[in-house]
Amino acid sequence: MTDGELAAFTAELRRRVDDRVVAEPELMARDAFVTVVGEHLIDDGALDDLETCYLLAPWQNRRVEVAGYDITGDGTILHLVTAEYGMDGEPLKRERLTQLVRRVGAFAEFCRNGLHEQLERSSPAYDMVERIHSAWPQLQMIKIFVFTDGKTGLRRAEEATVAGLPTLVNVWDIGRLQKLISSGAQQEDILIDVAKMGYEVQCLESPEQADGYRCLMAMLPGKLLADLYDEHHSRLLQRNVRAYLQARGKVNKGIAETIKEQPGRFLAYNNGVSATARAADLERTSNGLVLRSLTELQIVNGGQTTASLHHAARKGIDLSDVTVPAKITLIPDDRLDSMVPEISRYANSQNAVTPADFEGNSRFHVGLERWSRTTWVTPLGVDVEQTRWYYERVRGQYDVEKNKFTTAAARRKFDRENPVRQRFGKTDAAKYEYAYSLRPEVVCQGAEKCFRTWTSDEGLAEREAPDDVYFRHLVAKGIVFRQVRIIIQKQNFGGYLGQTAAHTVSLIVHTLGGLDLDRLWREQALPEAIAAAVPDVAKAVRRVLTSPPSGGNVTEWAKKTACWERVRAVGWAPPSDVLAG
């Protein structure tokens, strides 16, 4: 990567952040940066989800600072994000990096000690600290992510202990972000140096098969799989499959019992794991063929086995007698995307992979993408150029398509026809649907969880491609959601914007019995009478949201069906001009 390429990417990333601020004016540039980077890491599998929430506060002659968080791994892993934005590719000094990590570590201690009462009760930061404090007894480790648009040359720091928990620090600087985001790349390769980790894994290798792939058969130490999951977590299972990882159900309980009670029989009782990789480094020794390293390892069946081994290791259970059979399929780059989903389907035999696990390439999403490229909005008022609502089926698709144009004039034309304010993705579509369908509690679960619920509830992986009417109505729902959110943001209520917007949209739709989606598409705006009523509706909604039962957590309260039932019971008497419209 040349200095020129890095500078161009830095400028492009800054533009994306600026675009996000335009689309969501309530975000500071730093928060928009965290949100943009977080979305890419969620797609990459490095994060399961991320709640952007900034806090900087003094505490015991120190400062606590955090930019976002998530609790994952069945409630056992705390992800904390800190960020340094505005470096524009300049080096980030080691002292500043150390300070950021120290401050986010102090934040973890702040949460452990239950000091949320020192914060304003009506603030999202209060909810964040209170939620982490409540989850603390189940936490087993912390992962700190440092996001920066500066240079560091680092990927991760040595494992340390923060607030009494083992902690890993991952650094995502401008160079690493460039590799992840540029050219539409959706994943950063997982590079596993088996030998460096201290393991000698013997294997058998098949001849190259007709489709150009090879298979390795190996006996993997259980501790090796636990270590890999410890470092990479769900990133090991990211390519096309959302694995079932929690130790529930008969199979997973059986795995846990075998690990604990009869580790020596694990090889006999367990079906093992099926994995894929892009490349393997093999060495022939006097003892046979030895596996030295793997590039882009993905476990396509056996995620529950891997997670169970990790959980057992975290509980101090000795895995030295546990051996796991493994088939590793080595697939050429040009066949990776087509073969891995099929291997996942046919290899899975312990807990079946549901159709919902195969998300982005379904007929439904491809169909939405197709309509978004061919359906034009009729110009209104002073506008003279037709535009489109651009559905970004794969994150980064918008920028990849724009950058295919070699001239500035052509790129400006693309911008005019596909304005960034009319770009939306899969998680946005899910929020629009659920807010309009009177399920605001699902919207409040977070973007990724909302999307997964939509995928599962609606059977999107098996659903046929939608027609043009569905696409226009989806956009109309998006117009309602976005414009309600913007109106509420201008009221400066302070915090809980997303939760208030979702419940406000649902209350308006519920009260009016639906909206004229065809009219919304034609006019590309909320009717003036409804827009004028939004502030009063939002105030009523917000009173319910900020009064959870027994003084509970507002963020968690908003995710409950009981909250929506309380909002709906408050009611709203629409003015006559709204009913007439």
Side-chain angles (χ1 to χ4, degrees):
M1 178 175 55
T2 66
D3 290 343
E5 290 172 332
L6 186 61
F9 171 75
T10 303
E12 176 65 21
L13 180 60
R14 185 170 60 248
R15 186 188 66 78
R16 295 187 193 194
V17 172
D18 292 343
D19 287 345
R20 182 56 62 94
V21 173
V22 171
E24 301 181 40
E26 76 278 5
L27 292 178
M28 301 288 288
R30 175 204 57 246
D31 299 330
F33 170 68
V34 169
T35 301
V36 168
V37 173
E39 288 172 346
H40 284 285
L41 264 65
I42 289 168
D43 275 357
D44 184 62
L47 289 171
D48 288 347
D49 214 334
L50 179 64
E51 182 78 21
T52 301
C53 185
Y54 184 74
L55 173 66
L56 174 62
W59 177 55
Q60 292 186 348
N61 299 320
R62 294 183 288 173
R63 286 183 179 271
V64 300
E65 185 173 12
V66 71
Y69 77 104
D70 184 42
I71 299 172
T72 187
D74 196 19
T76 63
I77 301 174
L78 173 62
H79 288 163
L80 296 175
V81 172
T82 185
E84 182 77 351
Y85 179 63
M87 301 296 296
D88 285 334
E90 293 299 316
L92 178 65
K93 293 182 179 180
R94 177 64 72 103
E95 294 81 5
R96 175 56 176 159
L97 179 60
T98 301
Q99 182 187 62
L100 288 168
V101 174
R102 188 186 304 120
R103 286 181 174 183
V104 80
F107 171 77
E109 292 184 40
F110 189 86
C111 295
R112 179 185 63 175
N113 293 338
L115 299 177
H116 42 283
E117 295 297 344
Q118 296 185 12
L119 303 173
E120 174 60 44
R121 193 175 186 86
S122 63
S123 72
Y126 178 97
D127 279 4
M128 172 175 61
V129 177
E130 193 272 339
R131 183 185 174 201
I132 294 173
H133 175 69
S134 298
W136 199 273
Q138 287 74 47
L139 294 178
Q140 296 178 6
M141 75 176 300
I142 299 172
K143 290 188 178 181
I144 295 174
F145 293 81
V146 181
F147 296 171
T148 179
D149 61 340
K151 296 178 185 176
T152 68
L154 298 174
R155 284 172 61 95
R156 58 175 292 183
E158 294 298 319
E159 185 166 345
T161 299
V162 170
L165 294 175
T167 302
L168 293 174
V169 178
N170 281 276
V171 180
W172 286 86
D173 69 354
I174 193 67
R176 195 175 181 193
L177 291 173
Q178 195 270 346
K179 292 176 184 177
L180 173 68
I181 298 174
S182 291
S183 302
Q186 290 301 302
Q187 293 187 306
E188 183 187 54
D189 281 346
I190 292 179
L191 304 175
I192 296 172
D193 193 328
V194 178
K196 189 175 181 181
M197 294 174 70
Y199 298 97
E200 182 172 304
V201 176
Q202 294 183 327
C203 61
L204 298 174
E205 181 183 20
S206 77
E208 183 173 305
Q209 302 300 296
D211 279 349
Y213 69 90
R214 294 176 293 141
C215 283
L216 303 178
M217 304 299 295
M219 299 297 165
L220 301 180
K223 185 64 165 58
L224 170 60
L225 282 174
D227 289 346
L228 291 176
Y229 190 74
D230 197 28
E231 178 175 355
H232 300 289
H233 197 51
S234 59
R235 174 64 177 84
L236 281 174
L237 303 104
Q238 174 65 15
R239 187 176 286 277
N240 293 295
V241 177
R242 302 281 186 181
Y244 176 52
L245 298 178
Q246 297 182 354
R248 298 191 298 230
K250 295 180 181 179
V251 175
N252 286 2
K253 288 181 180 178
I255 292 172
E257 290 175 1
T258 303
I259 293 170
K260 185 176 180 180
E261 306 295 339
Q262 297 177 299
R265 296 191 180 182
F266 194 89
L267 180 62
Y269 292 171
N270 190 267
N271 290 338
V273 301
S274 179
T276 64
R278 194 155 51 80
D281 180 18
L282 305 172
E283 180 183 353
R284 296 195 179 276
T285 69
S286 57
N287 294 325
L289 198 62
V290 174
L291 177 63
R292 294 299 186 192
S293 67
L294 289 165
T295 300
E296 188 50 21
L297 177 69
Q298 293 283 294
I299 296 173
V300 295
N301 172 251
Q304 56 186 332
T305 295
T306 307
S308 296
L309 289 166
H310 167 262
H311 294 325
R314 280 289 170 193
K315 292 178 179 178
I317 296 175
D318 183 12
L319 300 182
S320 57
D321 290 334
V322 175
T323 302
V324 184
K327 181 182 76 172
I328 304 171
T329 305
L330 304 178
I331 305 175
D333 283 355
D334 60 346
R335 297 180 183 272
L336 208 60
D337 289 329
S338 60
M339 285 190 67
V340 173
E342 296 306 313
I343 292 173
S344 300
R345 292 179 190 273
Y346 291 112
N348 209 294
S349 60
Q350 292 184 350
N351 278 341
V353 178
T354 68
D357 295 322
F358 301 88
E359 298 161 344
N361 295 321
S362 69
R363 292 185 296 270
F364 177 80
H365 291 292
V366 172
L368 275 184
E369 177 186 25
R370 183 174 63 250
W371 287 118
S372 80
R373 305 301 189 269
T374 58
T375 305
W376 296 87
V377 175
T378 302
L380 296 172
V382 297
D383 294 330
V384 295
E385 190 158 13
Q386 288 185 311
T387 63
R388 294 178 293 199
W389 280 79
Y390 189 102
Y391 180 62
E392 197 171 45
R393 182 174 59 85
V394 178
R395 200 178 307 282
Q397 194 174 18
Y398 180 93
D399 294 304
V400 170
E401 185 170 343
K402 176 181 175 179
N403 290 333
K404 288 179 181 178
F405 298 103
T406 57
T407 66
R411 287 193 291 271
R412 286 195 296 270
K413 184 174 186 293
F414 178 87
D415 284 338
R416 291 194 302 271
E417 293 180 346
N418 305 276
V420 68
R421 68 179 182 277
Q422 292 177 195
R423 177 178 63 181
F424 68 107
K426 298 190 297 291
T427 57
D428 298 312
K431 289 190 290 185
Y432 303 158
E433 285 285 18
Y434 275 106
Y436 193 86
S437 301
L438 313 185
R439 297 286 303 280
E441 75 280 7
V442 178
V443 179
C444 295
Q445 294 285 336
E448 287 299 313
K449 291 177 182 177
C450 179
F451 172 67
R452 293 173 197 173
T453 301
W454 186 41
T455 300
S456 176
D457 286 356
E458 298 299 322
L460 298 188
E462 296 180 321
R463 189 164 159 179
E464 293 299 323
D467 58 20
D468 60 329
V469 174
Y470 178 90
F471 175 76
R472 290 196 298 270
H473 285 183
L474 175 63
V475 170
K477 296 170 187 176
I479 291 169
V480 175
F481 190 93
R482 289 181 174 202
Q483 293 191 7
V484 165
R485 182 184 173 102
I486 289 171
I487 293 169
I488 295 173
Q489 192 272 332
K490 292 179 179 178
Q491 307 307 306
N492 295 315
F493 288 141
Y496 310 115
L497 171 61
Q499 294 90 340
T500 305
H503 282 83
T504 299
V505 169
S506 292
L507 182 55
I508 289 173
V509 174
H510 167 70
T511 304
L512 297 179
L515 301 174
D516 186 340
L517 297 177
D518 291 320
R519 175 185 173 184
L520 282 161
W521 168 263
R522 289 193 306 272
E523 298 182 357
Q524 293 289 295
L526 271 176
E528 290 184 6
I530 294 178
V534 167
D536 288 337
V537 180
K539 287 176 184 176
V541 166
R542 188 174 168 79
R543 283 195 292 271
V544 174
L545 293 181
T546 55
S547 303
S550 304
N553 185 299
V554 175
T555 305
E556 294 303 308
W557 167 234
K559 298 176 183 178
K560 298 183 182 301
T561 304
C563 178
W564 163 235
E565 291 173 350
R566 182 88 58 87
V567 168
R568 188 170 52 193
V570 167
W572 164 57
S576 57
D577 54 348
V578 172
L579 295 173

